Amino acid sequence: MSYSRIAGTGSYLPEKILTNADLEALVDTSDEWIVERTGIRQRHMAAEHQTTSDMAYEAALRAMDMAGVEPSEIGFLAVGTTTPDLVFPSTAVLLQERLGLPHVGAMDVNAACTGFLYALSIADKWIRVGDADKALVIGAECLTRIVDWKDRGTCVLFGDGAGAVVLEASDEPGILSTHIHANGEHVDLLRSRRGISTGFDFDLHNGGVTIEMKGNEVFKVAVRTLGRIVDETLAANNMDKSELDWLIPHQANLRIIAATARKLNMTMEQVILTVQNHGNTSAASVPLALDTAVRDGRIQRGHKLLLEAFGGGFTWGSALVQY
Ligand code: ACO
């Protein structure tokens, strides 16, 4: 078997919705500003006791159901998340038990918004070297727990959710290539200031772990970097942009997505866009968008998909997939 292919997709969004009008009551903002600058109209918010693994669990069940795969068949689990339930055990280990997976390797991958593509890249290789026949790959986040609800520059952007795919070994393509990168040079443009070994600061809101972002500067780097990763991905596959059927971008900002689509000469009809419904769900956003378009029938077997993401770190990545 020389490829891994996507056998099923699933996603989950929590019930509670926070609209732009709700945010107008919290900070000095407007529906008009948020829609014009980001494309976001609403975001979903986990219930008080709902965790990242709760959302990931639902998405995983749906992906396994679509794939017709039993938990006992899964040979590897990777979860992209920046907002794990606990310091340890990892979210993946909690899910191994709850989903009833065999005692297979299960790991979290922290790469902010690129987490799903990092996890996909690892699982793809795991399958291609023959260490697993089927793998579960999840992106799940509970970002609203680390949002500073007094900062209008960030609180309008983020939401909670989860997306998942089941990969299986296949003679047919499949995931054609994955590309992941990191550059810690601009850490101060987008970060959470506190963690375990730096010590939580309980004088600061949420212990200092809230998201801090210089949005405008991040925006410029994101557009440049995504342009480069798109070129890298097409070149690695000796493929012309006209051969792509769908762009499935990280759902952070409609303007960033439109810039990447322009670079690929793709119309917005060829872009899977879900940011308006759930805002930036970080590692969950690419599999959420993928699942939406698989289930509504836009993405069909044989279509060529370009998945891409950019996020805190900075990290960035892509995958070229024949669905
Ligand atoms: N409502 C009203 N006004 C606002 C809001 C708001 N919610 N937020 C900021 N403003 C104001 C600013 O204060 C500023 O006012 P000023 O001109 O008086 O100083 C003005 O709007 C313009 O601010 P900018 O930051 O320049 O606005 P911009 O057009 O860049 O949009 C945004 C901001 C939406 C954050 C954009 O920069 C962006 O999307 N950046 C990239 C985000 C991203 O992709 N992050 C990576 C992934 S996230 C992760 O990995 C966790």
Side-chain angles (χ1 to χ4, degrees):
M1 301 274 180
S2 36
Y3 293 101
S4 75
R5 72 183 271 279
I6 295 176
T9 63
S11 61
Y12 173 82
L13 289 166
E15 218 169 284
K16 184 175 174 187
I17 288 175
L18 210 58
T19 64
N20 291 349
D22 294 330
L23 289 169
E24 285 175 359
L26 277 183
V27 286
D28 180 14
T29 191
S30 66
D31 175 55
E32 192 191 1
W33 190 95
I34 301 171
V35 172
E36 190 191 306
R37 301 291 181 115
T38 71
I40 300 167
R41 294 184 184 274
Q42 61 174 41
R43 62 291 292 143
H44 291 247
M45 196 173 181
E48 202 175 329
H49 300 295
Q50 202 171 23
T51 62
T52 296
S53 71
D54 291 334
M55 294 184 282
Y57 175 77
E58 299 296 337
L61 288 184
R62 291 169 194 186
M64 287 193 290
D65 182 54
M66 185 191 285
V69 162
E70 294 298 323
S72 59
E73 297 175 70
I74 299 291
F76 177 66
L77 168 63
V79 180
T81 187
T82 319
T83 47
D85 291 22
L86 305 170
V87 174
F88 70 88
S90 69
T91 313
V93 170
L94 300 178
L95 286 164
Q96 178 277 324
E97 163 68 11
R98 191 160 167 201
L99 289 165
L101 306 188
H103 295 161
V104 297
M107 62 167 74
D108 281 8
V109 185
N110 179 344
C113 300
T114 319
F116 175 76
L117 285 168
Y118 266 64
L120 188 76
S121 175
I122 295 165
D124 170 54
K125 289 173 176 60
W126 215 278
I127 286 181
R128 282 199 289 121
V129 299
D131 278 2
D133 197 47
K134 293 184 173 55
L136 187 55
V137 185
I138 304 175
E141 300 280 12
C142 201
L143 284 175
T144 60
R145 299 275 205 277
I146 58 165
V147 161
D148 177 353
W149 294 104
K150 295 189 290 302
D151 176 13
R152 69 175 180 172
T154 54
C155 77
V156 302
L157 303 175
F158 298 104
D160 303 329
V165 303
V166 173
L167 293 184
E168 65 181 11
S170 166
D171 289 327
E172 306 291 320
I175 293 182
L176 299 170
S177 70
T178 59
H179 308 263
I180 55 173
H181 296 280
N183 177 0
E185 190 185 343
H186 302 294
V187 64
D188 55 332
L189 296 185
L190 174 57
R191 66 175 164 184
S192 154
R193 196 175 284 268
R194 295 289 190 180
I196 307 304
S197 62
T198 56
F200 293 102
D201 183 345
F202 290 101
D203 289 336
L204 290 172
H205 179 67
N206 281 4
V209 296
T210 50
I211 300 166
E212 294 176 15
M213 179 167 70
K214 294 181 180 146
N216 196 273
E217 289 169 62
V218 174
F219 187 99
K220 289 177 204 151
V221 184
V223 170
R224 264 202 319 273
T225 308
L226 289 169
R228 280 206 310 272
I229 191 90
V230 160
D231 286 341
E232 177 187 331
T233 313
L234 291 171
N237 291 280
N238 201 15
M239 183 183 276
D240 187 77
K241 48 193 168 190
S242 61
E243 296 174 60
L244 292 172
D245 293 295
W246 297 103
L247 174 64
I248 302 161
H250 170 46
Q251 311 284 322
N253 184 310
L254 175 58
R255 291 184 294 143
I256 297 176
I257 294 171
T260 309
R262 269 198 303 278
K263 164 138 188 103
L264 289 166
N265 289 344
M266 291 174 97
T267 66
M268 288 309 280
E269 279 68 45
Q270 292 173 279
V271 178
I272 307 303
L273 203 63
T274 52
V275 69
Q276 66 281 7
N277 297 328
H278 55 64
N280 183 347
T281 57
S282 186
S285 94
V286 169
L288 265 164
L290 174 67
D291 183 51
T292 300
V294 166
R295 284 179 191 269
D296 69 22
R298 277 178 289 173
I299 293 179
Q300 299 281 325
R301 286 289 171 198
H303 281 177
K304 293 216 171 53
L305 323 176
L306 179 56
L307 283 51
E308 47 87 338
F310 176 88
F314 293 129
T315 58
W316 63 101
S318 65
L320 189 74
V321 176
Q322 183 167 315
Y323 181 69

